[in-house]
Amino acid sequence: MLDELKIVRQLGAVFPGGSDVLTGIGDDCAAVRAPANPLLVAADQVIERIHFTPETPPEKAGAKLLLRNVSDIAAMGGTPRWAILTLAVNGRDEKYIMDFCRGVAEAGSRYGVTVIGGDTASLPSAGVAATLTILGEAPSGGAITRDGARVGDYLYVTGKIGNSFLSGRHLDIEPRLKEGQYLAQRHLASAMLDVSDGLLLDAARLAAASHVALQIEPEKVPLFPGARAPEAWSEGEDYELIFTSPEKLETLGKTLVPICCWGRCVAGDGELLDKTGKPFQSERLGYEH
Amino acid sequence: MLDELKIVRQLGAVFPGGSDVLTGIGDDCAAVRAPANPLLVAADQVIERIHFTPETPPEKAGAKLLLRNVSDIAAMGGTPRWAILTLAVNGRDEKYIMDFCRGVAEAGSRYGVTVIGGDTASLPSAGVAATLTILGEAPSGGAITRDGARVGDYLYVTGKIGNSFLSGRHLDIEPRLKEGQYLAQRHLASAMLDVSDGLLLDAARLAAASHVALQIEPEKVPLFPGARAPEAWSEGEDYELIFTSPEKLETLGKTLVPICCWGRCVAGDGELLDKTGKPFQSERLGYEH
C-alpha cells in the first residue's frame, strides 16, 4: 500500500506551482486563474509494456507522457499551461513514483507547464498506468482544428520522421510548440494535427475531418537516420505536425524546424491518393496504441 | 486491438457536447470557453478489483467515476462543467467501453457535466483502469479550501455515513453539490472537503491543513442502515462534506440534506481529540485506496 499523504507532501516540492495557481496540490481540486482565450484540454496515457518497457527509466516515461500532451497543444497552435497527473501502480515503490513525477515536472518546466494536481491508486497486478490531462490556452485567432483543409491547400509536415521507437526518440519528444504557434499567429494553417499514430494514418484523419482527399508523395518527407520507407510512413510516435495551408511555404523561419510540402488537397472525403490520382497503395496506414 | 476511430465516432453521439464547447471529441484537444471565475480541476481513477468488482455493470463503474469527481468540485463550493475521460482496458469489448462511457455521460448530464475528450489505450493484462479529469468553475467568493479552519469553528458533516461499500451505495454517489454551493454563496464555511477515505481520516486532513486540532464526537454523526460505529467512521466512500464554520448552524435549508455538528476546532496541529481533550482512540482512521 502506498502512503498517498506522504507522496502528496513530496509532490508539493516536485511540483512547486506558479503565480497563476491559486490552490495547488493537496486539496480536493486545484484552482487556477482562467485564461482570457478559450481553454484547450487534452489527455494521453502511457502504460508499461504498451508505451514504454519495464526497463525504461521512470523519469523518461514521465517525460514522454508530458511531452505527448504538449504535442497535442502544439497541434492546435496553443500554449500549454497546467497538467493533472494520475498514476496507477503495482509492484513499484515510492522512489519509482517520485522519479516518474520528476520526469513529468522537468519536461513540463521546459514548456511552461505546471503540474497542479492528480491522484495515485493501486493496480491489481504488476504494472504502471499513467494519465496526464493538459490544459492550455488557445491562440487569439482560435485553435487550429483538423477539419479546416480546403481543396487546393498544400499539405506539409515538420521535421523528419521514422525510427522513433527503436532509436529511443519516442521518449525524447520535441513537441513542435513554436512551429504550431508560428502558424497560428500568422493564420497560415487551415488544418493541423500531430503525428502520433503514423504519417499516413494521421494525414487520412485530417482528410476525413476536412472532407477532402489528399494527393500525397510521402517519399518527399525526410527520414531520420535508420528509418526506411515505406515503414516510416506508418510507424508513428513522430510527434511532428501535419498541416495544410493555402499558401506555398518554403520555411517557417530560420529558428524553427524545416518543413516539407508532400501533397495537396483535392476533391474527396478522406481518401489518400498517389500523384496519378489513384488510391494510395500501402500495407498499413499506422499504429493504434 | 480496439478500433479507436470507431469508438471516437460512437462517443461523439454518447457525449454530444454543449454550447460552451468550441471543439469537442475527435481533435488533438478540446476547446471550451474559459469561465469568468477561477478554474477548478480535479482527477480521480476507478480501477477494476480496487474500486469496483468485475461483476459491477460498466455503466455503474463509469457513473461512479464521474460522481467521485463531481464530489471534489462540490467540496470547493464550485460548479462542475466539463470532463476528460481516459480508459485503459484489456479483455473487454467495445460494448463494455460504450456502456462505461454511457454511465459517465448519464451521470454527468444530471450534474451539468459534458465530456469533451479523452483517450483509450490497451492494458497489458486483463482489467479496466479509468481516469476522469473534471473541470469546473470556482464560486465568485473563491473556492473553499481545506486549510481555512480556525480555533473556535464548529465541525460539521452532511448527511449520514457508513455501509457504503456493502450496500452498493458507493456506486450511486449523491455528490453534495447544492450543499457546497449553498455554503460558498453565503460564505459560511471556513474549510471543507469530501469524505472519500473515512470520516476520521478526512477530518484529520482538514485539521492538518488548517493547523488546528479537532475535538470530536463522531458518535453524534447519523449512520446509514446497516452501518456500525466505530467501523463506519473509517470505512470511507461516503462522499459527504466535512466543513467548518464560525457559525452555529442547525440546517442548510429545507431542500438540502441535514447536517450534524460533531466537533469543534481547538489549538493544535492536525490532532483528533475526544471530548475530554485526550487523543482520540481509534484502531484506524480511514482507508487509502
Side-chain angles (χ1 to χ4, degrees), chain A residues 1-5 22-23 26-45 47-51 72-73 75-76 82 84 86-88 116 118-126 129 131 133 135 143-147 192-194 197 201 205 287-289, chain B residues 1-5 22-23 26-45 47-51 72-73 75-76 82 84 86-88 116 118-126 129 131 133 135 143-147 192-194 197 201 205 287-289:
Chain A
M1 186 67 68
L2 298 163
D3 182 344
E4 190 169 358
L5 272 182
L22 305 170
T23 302
D27 218 306
D28 297 85
C29 294
V32 296
R33 275 184 239 286
N37 289 332
L39 191 69
L40 298 176
V41 195
D44 245 324
Q45 307 179 79
I47 294 164
E48 192 185 81
R49 295 177 198 276
I50 306 286
H51 301 95
D72 282 324
I73 298 282
M76 311 297 279
W82 308 288
I84 308 286
T86 64
L87 272 170
I116 56 173
D119 185 54
T120 59
S122 304
L123 279 178
S125 53
T131 290
T133 299
L135 305 177
I144 304 174
T145 54
R146 57 179 68 183
D147 60 359
M192 186 153 65
L193 45 60
D194 72 333
D197 296 336
L201 178 58
R205 287 170 176 167
Y287 178 67
E288 307 242 15
H289 294 88
Chain B
M1 186 65 70
L2 296 164
D3 183 344
E4 191 170 357
L5 273 183
L22 304 170
T23 302
D27 218 307
D28 297 83
C29 293
V32 296
R33 274 183 239 286
N37 289 334
L39 192 68
L40 298 175
V41 195
D44 244 325
Q45 308 179 78
I47 294 164
E48 192 184 82
R49 295 179 197 273
I50 305 287
H51 301 95
D72 283 324
I73 298 283
M76 311 296 281
W82 308 287
I84 308 285
T86 65
L87 272 170
I116 56 173
D119 185 54
T120 59
S122 304
L123 279 179
S125 54
T131 290
T133 299
L135 305 177
I144 304 173
T145 53
R146 56 178 71 182
D147 60 0
M192 186 154 66
L193 45 61
D194 71 334
D197 297 337
L201 177 57
R205 288 170 175 168
Y287 178 68
E288 307 242 17
H289 292 91

Side-chain angles (χ1 to χ4, degrees), chain A residues 133-199:
Chain A
T133 299
I134 198 160
L135 305 177
E137 186 168 6
S140 298
I144 304 174
T145 54
R146 57 179 68 183
D147 60 359
R150 296 291 170 262
V151 169
D153 285 357
Y154 297 94
L155 177 68
Y156 299 89
V157 65
T158 60
K160 294 178 279 190
I161 67 160
N163 199 31
S164 178
F165 202 79
L166 285 178
S167 70
R169 208 176 71 252
H170 73 109
L171 295 171
D172 292 310
I173 299 162
E174 291 187 46
R176 300 305 182 193
L177 197 57
K178 288 180 181 169
E179 288 76 10
Q181 291 170 346
Y182 178 99
L183 290 164
Q185 283 157 8
R186 287 160 186 78
H187 308 286
L188 285 172
S190 50
M192 186 153 65
L193 45 60
D194 72 333
V195 186
S196 52
D197 296 336
L199 182 75

Side-chain angles (χ1 to χ4, degrees), chain B residues 190-227:
Chain B
S190 51
M192 186 154 66
L193 45 61
D194 71 334
V195 186
S196 52
D197 297 337
L199 181 75
L200 298 180
L201 177 57
D202 286 312
R205 288 170 175 168
L206 184 150
S210 294
H211 302 293
V212 296
L214 289 172
Q215 201 161 0
I216 58 171
E217 297 176 84
E219 62 278 9
K220 288 188 173 174
V221 176
L223 302 182
F224 264 95

